[in-house]
């Protein structure tokens, strides 16, 4: 099995992309829901520890079958840096915020701003062209986030809302680093190196964290198992495959569905309230995201090759989250 692009007109290409796209959104959104549940059973460092352990074991099993190529030279270092940003940094901030009472839906909404932030920074760091659409989209999305925050800040978590913001910054930085240095790494190899690096970093910091490594109940084991297998190994592998088979704008459009999915699922599963003001802010933020990404796609489409083996050109990354989210 290869993670290269299937022929554009093949039956596999026609069937796999829609199926994987449908699976990707709930798997990615589940990280916020199950992450909130996991922090009720474990300390945040323990959630990270078991997430990385389970994901690493799962991907090593896949690697035993697929036998992907190993990184060469400095690629090892670049993958390690990406892992510290995308895995350790992002999820440390997100899980700490969830454990401090930040709602899962709000966390998802804040991190959902990363695609457009990547778009704004891409011309500066990756020398790609940028039109006005991502700027307008980010501004509209920021208004939506402000509307939600103005409703939620009275909920008792106050300054803790900064934590998912820092998680979003870490996600953005890791995405840009990945775009610059790790674009050609095989999917399975990339996930394995990320999880192994993150696990080593967590273990190295463990003596200073004062955390218990064990879940307080069976529900904790189920939660970390889900985070490791489905939200880490499976969701990241699906993202990488979709990015290989379609333009990055396609994946960013899917990521824009995550905040609404998370907010709606959090109501029955976590008992989080969904007020009219929160719905309004969520709607504004989603409109902003689609304005930025949708207009970029429409503008770029004549100049872009069709989805196929060549993958996305560098400027197709504008306004989109990259391979490692």
């Amino acid at each position: 099995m290869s993670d290269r692009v299937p022929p554009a007109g093949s039956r596999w290409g026609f069937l796999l992309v829609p199926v994987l796209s449908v699976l990707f959104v709930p798997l990615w959104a589940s990280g916020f829901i199950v992450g909130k549940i996991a922090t009720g059973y474990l300390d945040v460092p323990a959630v990270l520890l078991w997430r990385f352990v389970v994901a690493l074991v799962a991907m090593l099993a896949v690697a035993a079958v697929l036998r992907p190529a190993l990184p060469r030279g400095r690629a090892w270092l670049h993958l390690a840096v990406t892992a510290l940003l995308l895995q350790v940094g992002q999820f440390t901030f997100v899980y700490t915020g969830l454990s401090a009472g930040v709602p899962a839906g709000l966390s998802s909404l804040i991190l959902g701003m990363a695609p457009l932030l990547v778009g704004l920074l891409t011309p500066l760091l990756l020398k790609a062209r940028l039109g006005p659409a991502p700027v307008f989209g980010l501004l509209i999305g920021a208004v939506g986030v402000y509307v939600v925050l103005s409703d939620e800040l009275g909920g008792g978590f106050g300054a803790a809302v900064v934590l998912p913001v820092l998680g979003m910054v870490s996600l953005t930085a890791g995405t840009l680093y990945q775009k610059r240095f790790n674009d050609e790494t095989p999917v399975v190899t990339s996930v394995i190196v990320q999880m192994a690096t993150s696990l080593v970093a967590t273990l190295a910091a463990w003596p200073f964290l004062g955390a218990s490594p064990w879940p307080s109940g069976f529900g904790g084991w189920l939660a970390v198992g889900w985070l490791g297998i489905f939200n880490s190994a499976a969701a990241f592998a699906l993202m990488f495959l979709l990015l290989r088979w379609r333009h990055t704008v396609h994946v960013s459009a899917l990521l824009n569905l995550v905040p609404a999915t998370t907010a709606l699922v959090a109501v029955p599963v976590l008992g989080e309230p969904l007020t009219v003001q929160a719905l309004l802010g969520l709607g504004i933020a989603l409109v902003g995201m689609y304005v930025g990404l949708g207009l970029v796609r429409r503008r770029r489409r004549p100049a872009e090759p069709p989805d196929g083996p060549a993958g996305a050109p560098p400027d197709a990354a504008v306004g989109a989250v990259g391979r490692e989210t």
Side-chain angles (χ1 to χ4, degrees), residues 21 26 84 106 168 191 202 206 226 235-236 259 271 275 289-290 323:
S21 298
L84 294 176
L106 178 59
M168 186 263 290
V191 177
T202 304
W206 196 268
W226 180 279
F236 274 93
T275 64
M289 292 175 192
Y290 278 110
R323 293 182 185 273

Side-chain angles (χ1 to χ4, degrees), residues 150-245:
S150 65
D151 181 47
E152 297 285 355
L153 283 176
F157 50 85
V161 76
V162 174
L163 293 168
V165 173
L166 293 175
M168 186 263 290
V169 171
S170 185
L171 169 60
T172 301
T175 297
L176 291 167
Y177 196 92
Q178 167 66 18
K179 284 181 181 294
R180 177 65 179 83
F181 295 107
N182 303 324
D183 211 37
E184 298 301 320
T185 305
V187 170
V188 175
T189 302
S190 183
V191 177
I192 288 176
V193 175
Q194 281 195 49
M195 297 305 163
T197 301
S198 303
L199 178 59
V200 170
T202 304
L203 290 174
W206 196 268
F208 308 99
L209 301 177
S212 170
W214 308 112
S216 59
F218 182 67
W221 287 112
L222 290 178
V224 296
W226 180 279
L227 290 175
I229 295 174
F230 296 104
N231 184 244
S232 291
F236 274 93
L238 287 181
M239 170 178 268
F240 300 159
L241 287 173
L242 288 170
L243 284 162
R244 292 280 171 97
W245 296 349

Side-chain angles (χ1 to χ4, degrees), residues 51-293:
R51 176 190 177 101
F52 300 144
V53 167
V54 174
L56 180 60
V57 171
M59 293 309 296
L60 285 174
V62 174
V65 176
L66 300 184
R67 299 183 181 277
L70 294 176
R72 296 181 179 180
R74 293 185 178 180
W76 289 98
L77 176 61
H78 293 316
L79 286 170
V81 173
T82 306
L84 294 176
L85 292 169
L86 285 177
Q87 302 293 339
V88 179
Q90 177 190 181
F91 292 112
T92 296
F93 289 126
V94 171
Y95 292 157
T96 303
L98 291 173
S99 67
V102 179
L106 178 59
S107 297
S108 175
L109 177 61
I110 292 173
L111 267 78
M113 298 299 294
L116 292 179
L117 186 56
V118 168
L120 287 177
L121 295 176
T122 293
L124 301 176
L125 302 178
L126 303 183
K127 299 181 180 179
R129 292 172 295 174
L130 178 67
V135 179
F136 292 138
L138 184 62
L139 292 175
I140 296 171
V143 171
V145 173
Y146 173 78
V147 171
V148 176
L149 288 177
S150 65
D151 181 47
E152 297 285 355
L153 283 176
F157 50 85
V161 76
V162 174
L163 293 168
V165 173
L166 293 175
M168 186 263 290
V169 171
S170 185
L171 169 60
T172 301
T175 297
L176 291 167
Y177 196 92
Q178 167 66 18
K179 284 181 181 294
R180 177 65 179 83
F181 295 107
N182 303 324
D183 211 37
E184 298 301 320
T185 305
V187 170
V188 175
T189 302
S190 183
V191 177
I192 288 176
V193 175
Q194 281 195 49
M195 297 305 163
T197 301
S198 303
L199 178 59
V200 170
T202 304
L203 290 174
W206 196 268
F208 308 99
L209 301 177
S212 170
W214 308 112
S216 59
F218 182 67
W221 287 112
L222 290 178
V224 296
W226 180 279
L227 290 175
I229 295 174
F230 296 104
N231 184 244
S232 291
F236 274 93
L238 287 181
M239 170 178 268
F240 300 159
L241 287 173
L242 288 170
L243 284 162
R244 292 280 171 97
W245 296 349
R246 289 295 183 265
H247 294 320
T248 49
V249 173
H250 176 87
V251 175
S252 288
L254 296 177
L255 288 171
N256 289 337
L257 300 175
V258 170
T261 302
T262 304
L264 293 175
V265 174
V267 175
V269 175
L270 301 178
E272 293 184 356
L274 193 62
T275 64
V276 174
Q277 188 171 344
L279 281 173
L280 176 62
L282 179 61
I284 294 173
L286 290 176
V287 168
M289 292 175 192
Y290 278 110
V291 164
L293 295 173

